[in-house]
Amino acid sequence: MKRQMPSTKELEREIKDRVKSMFRKDFEDATEEEIYRACAEVVNDVVIDNWLTTQKEFVKQDPKCVYYMSMEFLIGRLLGNNMINMRGYTEVMDALANLGVDINLIEDQEPDPALGNGGLGRLAACFLDSLATLQYPAYGCGIRYHYGMFKQKINDGFQEEVPDDWLQTRYPFELQRSEYEFEVKFGGWVRYENQPDGSTKYIHEGYNSVIATPYDMPITGFDNGMVNTLMIWDAKPKEVFRLASFERGDYNKAVEDMNLARNLTEVLYPNDNHIQGKELRLKQQYFFVSASLQRAIDKYLRYHNDIMRLPEKVVFQMNDTHPTLTVAELMRLLMDEHGLGWDDAWEVTTHCVAYTNHTIMAEALEKWPEDIFKGLLPRIYMIVEEINRRFCEEIKAKFPGDDEKVHRMAILADGQVKMAHMAICAGFSVNGVAALHTEILKNVSLHDFYEMYPEKFNNKTNGITQRRFLMHGNYKLSDWVIKKIGRGWITDLSQMEKLTMLLDDKKSLQQFMDIKLENKKRLAKYIFDHNGIAVDPNSIFDVQVKRLHEYKRQLLNILHVMYLYNQIKEHPEMDFYPTTFIFGAKASAGYENAKLIIKLINNVGAVINNDKSIDNKLKVVFIEDYRVSNAEWIFAAADVSEQISTASKEASGTGNMKFMLNGAVTIGTMDGANVEMYQELGGENIFIFGMSSDEVIAHEKNHDYNPVDEMNKNPHIQKVLSQLVNGNYSIDNPELFRPIYNSLLNTQCTERADTYFVLKDFASYCEAHEKIQEAYKDREKWARMALSNVAHVGKFSSDRTIQEYVDDIWHLDKLELK
Ligand code: NBG
């Protein structure tokens, strides 16, 4: 039976009791942190009961389930999310209010678990939310990084990285499950033994190993009593005593094992759309893949005896290439531990694994040097060699005489192990994350593979969960929508369509805009408290928040701000609607160009924000430490959403959808899921600019783009570029921004200059912004555009995405819950 949250009255009592039993304090004397912990336990009580019930039904009904394999789960804070999903948010809020405490302050005590970089990790978290809400059994499998995504401090305009010690105090929403520990082995060598029956036995020796210990986190569905599990793995050394006494006095090895365990799960690599080829990263990948597969097979064999029928109950979805070792490790377990021959093991594996591609960026394609790979995973390497041998035979048979093609497609080539090639070779499904992205995969970046296995390729356009990004982040709008069209949209976002009936209702439009203003005031206060900058909530809030990457073109945005500033200075009389440009972005710690762009944004802000002569027409704000928790408030407050990547480069984007859900109007290129937003919205409710992906791809192919031409024909660009290097924005060190200037214009080497076509799209971007200015001045028209965005957001729920994965790829069984 589903357990409900207690009533407000009961909650008041329970929270007070908890504070007393946990901290031996009266409520009045408790700190906010202590109250948070008490609330977490009260909510946990309900969650745990439902978790138990779900797991019991799981055993009884024996449904097929998905293991979502991902190096990243950017789950964000759980207290608020769990309260919403258990339908007790308002009750807790009221209980706390009755006790004289603001729920926001309490929620703010929770560390924001940032076990992910950006879109890829947040997508995984949204998927788990939707799976539980749709009652599909699922496990998230990942790593319990001790330090998640770093905290960003801005010091003199520069980014500084500070470790994110989210486990400093016990995290209330995780549960260590020591009963499910497994050993994972690295290094050593493989010995063969011929068996009497003619088969060969492979024995792994001389390895180092760690114990993988899982921590389970509950993933609650919305209002259905369903609770799935996110299992994140931590590493610990084999018992020190055992090491010393059983490893034949090999003290060095004991120390090595201990260090291995200590380092393995220490930190998340802070790279988004970029691979750092570090051996430790490969170790992390194998570690969580091996542990997760062992647990999955263990669970399967507890209730079934025919391992050949594993695909009937289990599917492993590989979130990008990071967990591709799933292929070879599953083969190893099936053959070496469970006695299958190659053909049977391959049959099972290729019906259990599927692969999602999340990018076409070349620097994100995972390739491991063969020697590192072989040294670290000797048995796995042997298996990969055999997979590769058979795969190359298959290519030759299908395309006789095309040796070039075999070389291009091989898993082992040029001294490297190509992870995507293995994922596609073994996966029964290969999907992209937006329609355009999937087309580019098929026609350009994975064309060879598409020719070989057209039936594997399919599209699953990304989505987001409306429970977190509207109900929790923007409860005012959420309540208003409930008043207007009921509650159906909470689990069926397509019902937002009903809002179209309000598009000509002046009173509703006004209410809608009043809520936006309230949200802008909330953000303005946050900005004042954190940045000391006073921004006018009545100005246009024009926002770009996402990871900093040159292809996402924050540079285009800030160059345009510099241009606007010039215009306002030159033409003080010009009719300009005051605008606040808001940025938030973390740059990977080693990505110099990206970090310099952050500095540029901050320096431009410092000049503009302090220039009294422009009468507060322009403000530039860089929000420090952009993360899930402040993102929710930022989306709620945005008027304009900047989705301006170079066409073809952003596989999908998901921030674009979160803004749309909150009634911001997009300025964007025809890239990623923007294309589908455009289709849902019609051209009049979105501002599209710039080159198409076909044009970009053609320029890249023909090498015929010269940014100097763009500069020469546009005096505004000339002026802005000269201001990059004349000390305008860096008096003390006029050369500071020279690397940015060179990246755009590098006259020695035009082929590599302005890789992302910033100057090429500049004029068209300026024009689109002029249209936004015009549109915003007509307040009613703008309200209609903004509300249209909410009304047409239905497609972009992760509930829709998950249902498509289930129908086309996973074929899961729904769990029945009373
Ligand atoms: C990112 C893409 C985004 C996309 C997310 C989720 C990687 C490798 N890819 O466009 O850049 O929205 O994945 O699919 O992080």
Side-chain angles (χ1 to χ4, degrees):
M1 267 301 275
K2 179 173 101 187
R3 185 167 156 199
Q4 310 275 9
M5 284 283 281
S7 68
T8 304
K9 267 276 145 282
E10 288 163 332
L11 280 165
E12 265 179 60
R13 189 175 39 74
E14 284 194 26
I15 294 170
K16 278 161 74 174
D17 286 351
R18 286 286 172 156
V19 166
K20 208 182 290 169
S21 63
M22 291 171 74
F23 305 106
R24 210 212 54 193
K25 274 188 186 172
D26 285 331
F27 187 86
E28 298 69 41
D29 302 323
T31 64
E32 284 163 356
E33 216 245 314
E34 288 161 348
I35 299 172
Y36 151 69
R37 289 191 175 274
C39 289
E41 291 313 323
V42 169
V43 174
N44 256 341
D45 266 358
V46 184
V47 172
I48 299 258
D49 273 340
N50 289 328
W51 207 358
L52 273 172
T53 314
T54 304
Q55 296 312 311
K56 280 190 188 133
E57 285 304 317
F58 206 143
V59 173
K60 211 187 292 168
Q61 297 175 31
D62 192 24
K64 182 174 183 188
C65 75
V66 62
Y67 288 83
Y68 198 78
M69 310 288 288
S70 179
M71 287 287 274
E72 304 189 9
F73 287 93
L74 191 42
I75 50 179
R77 289 178 176 154
L78 291 185
L79 177 61
N81 198 243
N82 286 344
M83 293 189 300
I84 288 206
N85 284 352
M86 313 308 287
R87 295 288 306 276
Y89 191 88
T90 322
E91 288 71 12
V92 177
M93 181 170 77
D94 292 346
L96 287 171
N98 293 344
L99 295 167
V101 180
D102 175 359
I103 194 168
N104 284 314
L105 298 178
I106 300 307
E107 284 187 60
D108 221 21
Q109 300 304 310
E110 181 174 340
D112 192 338
L115 311 182
N117 273 285
L120 176 140
R122 182 57 229 176
L123 184 76
C126 284
F127 279 5
L128 294 185
D129 182 276
S130 288
L131 279 158
T133 296
L134 296 176
Q135 277 169 233
Y136 290 114
Y139 289 94
C141 303
I143 295 177
R144 183 175 182 260
Y145 301 105
H146 298 185
Y147 294 91
M149 187 59 207
F150 62 76
K151 289 204 174 305
Q152 180 190 55
K153 291 258 176 282
I154 299 297
N155 197 347
D156 183 30
F158 288 103
Q159 164 176 299
E160 279 174 10
E161 301 91 28
V162 180
D164 164 39
D165 195 359
W166 73 290
L167 291 171
Q168 198 176 31
T169 50
R170 196 185 81 80
Y171 188 63
F173 298 105
E174 64 170 13
L175 203 65
Q176 187 175 7
R177 305 297 300 275
S178 310
E179 65 273 39
Y180 296 117
E181 290 180 344
F182 296 94
E183 187 174 10
V184 180
K185 303 171 182 172
F186 298 95
W189 57 86
V190 180
R191 192 162 57 77
Y192 311 62
E193 247 174 35
N194 291 325
Q195 301 300 102
D197 67 354
S199 64
T200 313
K201 194 169 173 192
Y202 298 91
I203 302 150
H204 193 178
E205 292 179 338
Y207 53 81
N208 289 109
S209 73
V210 298
I211 302 297
T213 186
Y215 286 72
D216 286 357
M217 287 194 190
I219 304 293
T220 53
F222 180 78
D223 195 20
N224 60 2
M226 179 96 172
V227 183
N228 276 326
T229 304
L230 167 60
M231 51 166 124
I232 48 176
W233 295 92
D234 209 337
K236 58 182 202 188
K238 287 190 275 184
E239 226 179 304
V240 180
F241 161 76
R242 222 170 70 197
L243 279 172
S245 55
F246 293 109
E247 305 286 355
R248 289 191 211 87
D250 188 344
Y251 185 73
N252 282 339
K253 188 174 170 305
V255 173
E256 275 168 24
D257 280 4
M258 231 147 69
N259 282 337
L260 180 62
R262 198 164 290 152
N263 293 330
L264 205 48
T265 54
E266 202 56 12
V267 63
L268 163 79
Y269 282 97
N271 301 322
D272 184 86
N273 262 291
H274 183 94
I275 292 306
Q276 209 171 342
K278 287 275 195 290
E279 187 179 12
L280 180 60
R281 167 91 175 176
L282 184 59
K283 281 187 195 160
Q284 291 182 334
Q285 297 184 345
Y286 183 66
F287 169 73
F288 98 95
V289 161
S290 177
S292 306
L293 291 184
Q294 292 186 63
R295 188 166 170 195
I297 293 178
D298 221 51
K299 177 172 187 307
Y300 172 82
L301 288 177
R302 218 175 306 144
Y303 307 106
H304 309 87
N305 44 31
D306 186 359
I307 191 88
M308 285 302 291
R309 296 177 70 174
L310 187 69
E312 290 172 26
K313 294 295 171 190
V314 165
V315 54
F316 298 104
Q317 186 69 35
M318 303 189 289
N319 196 27
D320 217 331
T321 54
H322 320 151
T324 301
L325 287 167
T326 299
V327 172
E329 175 65 1
L330 186 53
M331 287 295 287
R332 183 189 75 80
L333 289 167
L334 293 172
M335 294 190 299
D336 296 2
E337 310 279 330
H338 299 283
L340 295 191
W342 182 278
D343 291 334
D344 283 345
W346 187 247
E347 174 75 15
V348 172
T349 300
T350 52
H351 287 85
C352 277
V353 305
Y355 159 60
T356 305
N357 175 291
H358 290 268
T359 186
I360 64 159
M361 299 293 292
E363 64 262 41
L365 281 188
E366 279 194 299
K367 300 174 185 132
W368 293 103
E370 269 185 66
D371 48 348
I372 290 187
F373 192 99
K374 188 175 178 178
L376 190 66
L377 306 168
R379 177 63 183 134
I380 293 296
Y381 180 76
M382 289 171 68
I383 292 170
V384 174
E385 269 186 317
E386 182 60 13
I387 295 175
N388 180 54
R389 192 186 64 75
R390 291 172 184 239
F391 182 47
C392 290
E393 289 304 318
E394 197 185 333
I395 306 168
K396 274 185 215 149
K398 186 136 189 183
F399 305 97
D402 196 345
D403 291 349
E404 269 289 294
K405 200 179 183 94
V406 178
H407 183 81
R408 282 201 307 269
M409 294 175 72
I411 299 167
L412 298 176
D414 315 315
Q416 292 172 320
V417 187
K418 301 184 177 175
M419 304 307 266
H421 300 193
M422 179 151 74
I424 301 169
C425 160
F428 65 86
S429 160
V430 176
N431 77 281
V433 290
L436 174 68
H437 169 60
T438 302
E439 286 311 302
I440 295 174
L441 292 179
K442 293 201 288 197
N443 301 328
V444 188
S445 47
L446 297 178
H447 184 65
D448 284 324
F449 294 89
Y450 178 60
E451 277 188 339
M452 175 121 178
Y453 305 121
E455 70 289 351
K456 291 190 182 185
F457 283 73
N458 64 93
N459 175 247
K460 296 287 166 281
T461 298
N462 283 168
I464 57 166
T465 168
Q466 63 268 33
R467 270 85 56 189
R468 180 179 289 269
F469 292 105
L470 195 63
M471 282 188 89
H472 187 253
N474 192 349
Y475 63 91
K476 287 195 170 134
L477 184 55
S478 170
D479 286 351
W480 181 82
V481 175
I482 289 171
K483 264 188 218 113
K484 298 292 180 187
I485 63 167
R487 304 182 61 90
W489 61 272
I490 299 171
T491 50
D492 172 12
L493 198 62
S494 68
Q495 293 193 24
M496 286 292 198
E497 190 75 39
K498 293 182 192 160
L499 291 173
T500 48
M501 70 190 177
L502 304 178
L503 287 175
D504 292 311
D505 174 15
K506 287 193 180 172
K507 203 168 130 228
S508 295
L509 290 176
Q510 189 54 52
Q511 293 165 345
F512 175 72
M513 290 314 280
D514 289 346
I515 291 170
K516 181 60 82 181
L517 184 62
E518 288 299 309
N519 288 327
K520 288 167 78 172
K521 287 182 183 160
R522 178 173 75 167
L523 184 62
K525 178 169 182 321
Y526 180 94
I527 290 171
F528 189 76
D529 291 346
H530 290 77
N531 297 56
I533 303 172
V535 301
D536 177 4
N538 289 303
S539 64
I540 301 175
F541 278 16
D542 182 307
V543 188
Q544 185 171 21
V545 285
K546 49 180 79 251
R547 283 300 292 258
L548 213 138
H549 204 299
E550 285 164 287
Y551 86 78
K552 294 178 188 282
R553 299 201 294 192
Q554 283 91 351
L555 181 56
L556 175 59
N557 188 342
I558 196 66
L559 291 178
H560 170 254
V561 173
M562 289 160 62
Y563 152 77
L564 280 180
Y565 180 50
N566 290 341
Q567 291 299 100
I568 294 170
K569 299 276 283 184
E570 281 167 32
H571 313 282
E573 74 295 345
M574 131 186 172
D575 179 22
F576 181 80
Y577 204 101
T579 305
T580 303
F581 288 92
I582 298 171
F583 293 82
K586 289 181 186 176
S588 174
Y591 189 173
E592 290 304 328
N593 270 353
K595 292 175 104 173
L596 198 54
I597 292 169
I598 290 178
K599 172 68 173 161
L600 176 64
I601 295 168
N602 280 309
N603 279 21
V604 170
V607 170
I608 292 180
N609 298 341
N610 292 313
D611 184 343
K612 299 263 178 322
S613 79
I614 59 166
D615 212 13
N616 288 323
K617 281 186 183 142
L618 270 188
K619 286 270 147 95
V620 179
V621 176
F622 188 94
I623 293 182
E624 187 178 71
D625 203 33
Y626 173 61
R627 59 190 185 279
V628 178
S629 50
N630 60 19
E632 293 177 24
W633 287 25
I634 296 170
F635 297 128
D639 293 307
V640 177
S641 157
E642 297 268 351
Q643 307 300 333
I644 60 177
S645 54
T646 312
S648 80
K649 303 297 180 199
E650 189 70 274
S652 161
T654 42
N656 45 4
M657 303 166 185
K658 295 165 197 167
F659 280 106
M660 185 183 185
L661 176 66
N662 282 276
V665 181
T666 300
I667 176 169
T669 48
M670 278 299 221
D671 198 16
N674 296 353
V675 176
E676 288 158 79
M677 285 167 47
Y678 171 87
Q679 286 160 357
E680 297 294 302
L681 282 167
E684 62 289 1
N685 295 313
I686 184 168
F687 296 90
I688 296 292
F689 74 96
M691 279 195 290
S692 68
S693 59
D694 286 342
E695 288 169 299
V696 170
I697 291 168
H699 281 303
E700 287 174 339
K701 192 164 155 219
N702 303 329
H703 303 285
D704 60 355
Y705 168 55
N706 185 352
V708 177
D709 298 342
E710 299 305 312
M711 180 181 70
N712 288 341
K713 68 185 183 214
N714 186 332
H716 300 305
I717 295 185
Q718 280 162 34
K719 178 155 184 184
V720 164
L721 289 183
S722 72
Q723 289 168 334
L724 267 184
V725 287
N726 71 0
N728 217 51
Y729 294 102
S730 174
I731 305 167
D732 303 339
N733 177 7
E735 286 299 304
L736 182 65
F737 299 118
R738 178 73 64 182
I740 296 181
Y741 181 91
N742 285 345
S743 79
L744 291 171
L745 286 177
N746 194 342
T747 38
Q748 270 93 51
C749 175
T750 45
E751 236 181 64
R752 279 182 39 226
D754 196 11
T755 322
Y756 296 108
F757 302 93
V758 169
L759 303 188
K760 183 89 188 161
D761 279 347
F762 188 82
S764 140
Y765 182 58
C766 293
E767 262 173 50
H769 266 292
E770 278 161 28
K771 288 191 192 133
I772 289 178
Q773 282 272 319
E774 282 317 303
Y776 199 88
K777 283 173 197 159
D778 183 343
R779 304 301 293 123
E780 199 181 307
K781 179 174 167 200
W782 186 270
R784 210 174 295 120
M785 288 176 79
L787 185 56
S788 282
N789 271 266
V790 186
H792 293 110
V793 78
K795 175 174 181 184
F796 303 106
S797 169
S798 45
D799 299 343
R800 187 268 314 148
T801 313
I802 284 299
Q803 193 57 52
E804 289 181 7
Y805 274 91
V806 169
D807 293 342
D808 303 344
I809 306 176
W810 300 337
H811 308 293
L812 308 179
D813 305 307
K814 256 190 209 246
L815 203 70
E816 300 299 329
L817 292 166
K818 279 170 231 102

